[in-house]
Amino acid sequence: QVQLVESGGGLVQAGESLRLSCVASGKIFRVNTMAWYRQAPGKQRELVASITTGGSTNYADSVKGRFTISGANAATITVYLQMNSLKPEDTAVYYCNAKGVNMSPYWGQGTQVTVSS
C-alpha cells in the first residue's frame, strides 16, 4: 500500500500564494507518477498537475504559468504544488494522487484551499 499525507491548504486572498505538500510512504517503489487533483463544490474532480519520477510535468490549462509541481524524487516521493496568483475559481479540495506499475491509484485525504475575492 501507499499512504499519502497532504498539508498546506488554507484561506488566502486573490493574488496570494500557497504551497501544498504531499508525502508518500509505503510501497513507493512502484510509484511512477504523482499528481494533484482538485474538486470544487458541485463539480467533477479534475487534474491540476502531474509529475513523473523522471521529472516530466503536465498542467491543466487553467493553471499554466501560475502553478508549479515539483518533487517526486524516486527515493522520497515528496511532491509540492506551488500556487501563485490564486483566483477565487481555484477554490476547491485538493487531492494528492499516486500512480504506478501494477498498483491501483492512491489518494490522499484532501486539503481545502479557499481563495477570497
Side-chain angles (χ1 to χ4, degrees):
Q1 285 191 339
V2 174
Q3 294 78 42
L4 302 173
V5 179
E6 303 133 332
S7 60
L11 171 64
V12 296
Q13 292 188 333
E16 294 184 340
S17 300
L18 276 176
R19 189 176 81 156
L20 305 182
S21 300
C22 174
V23 179
S25 61
K27 294 184 177 179
I28 61 174
F29 60 90
R30 293 182 176 179
V31 175
N32 58 23
T33 303
M34 296 289 290
W36 287 96
Y37 286 74
R38 66 186 180 188
Q39 187 166 19
K43 294 189 177 181
Q44 288 189 331
R45 191 171 296 190
E46 63 175 358
L47 175 67
V48 176
S50 65
I51 184 168
T52 68
T53 50
S56 296
T57 58
N58 182 49
Y59 295 92
D61 287 343
S62 60
V63 306
K64 281 181 182 176
R66 299 188 298 122
F67 290 11
T68 303
I69 190 169
S70 63
N73 176 279
T76 63
I77 312 285
T78 299
V79 179
Y80 304 98
L81 184 68
Q82 178 67 43
M83 304 185 294
N84 298 329
S85 302
L86 282 161
K87 304 175 181 180
E89 51 263 43
D90 295 318
T91 295
V93 178
Y94 284 70
Y95 296 92
C96 183
N97 171 273
K99 299 185 184 70
V101 178
N102 295 326
M103 60 176 270
S104 300
Y106 286 90
W107 295 91
Q109 79 283 1
T111 185
Q112 177 71 46
V113 171
T114 303
V115 185
S116 63
S117 57

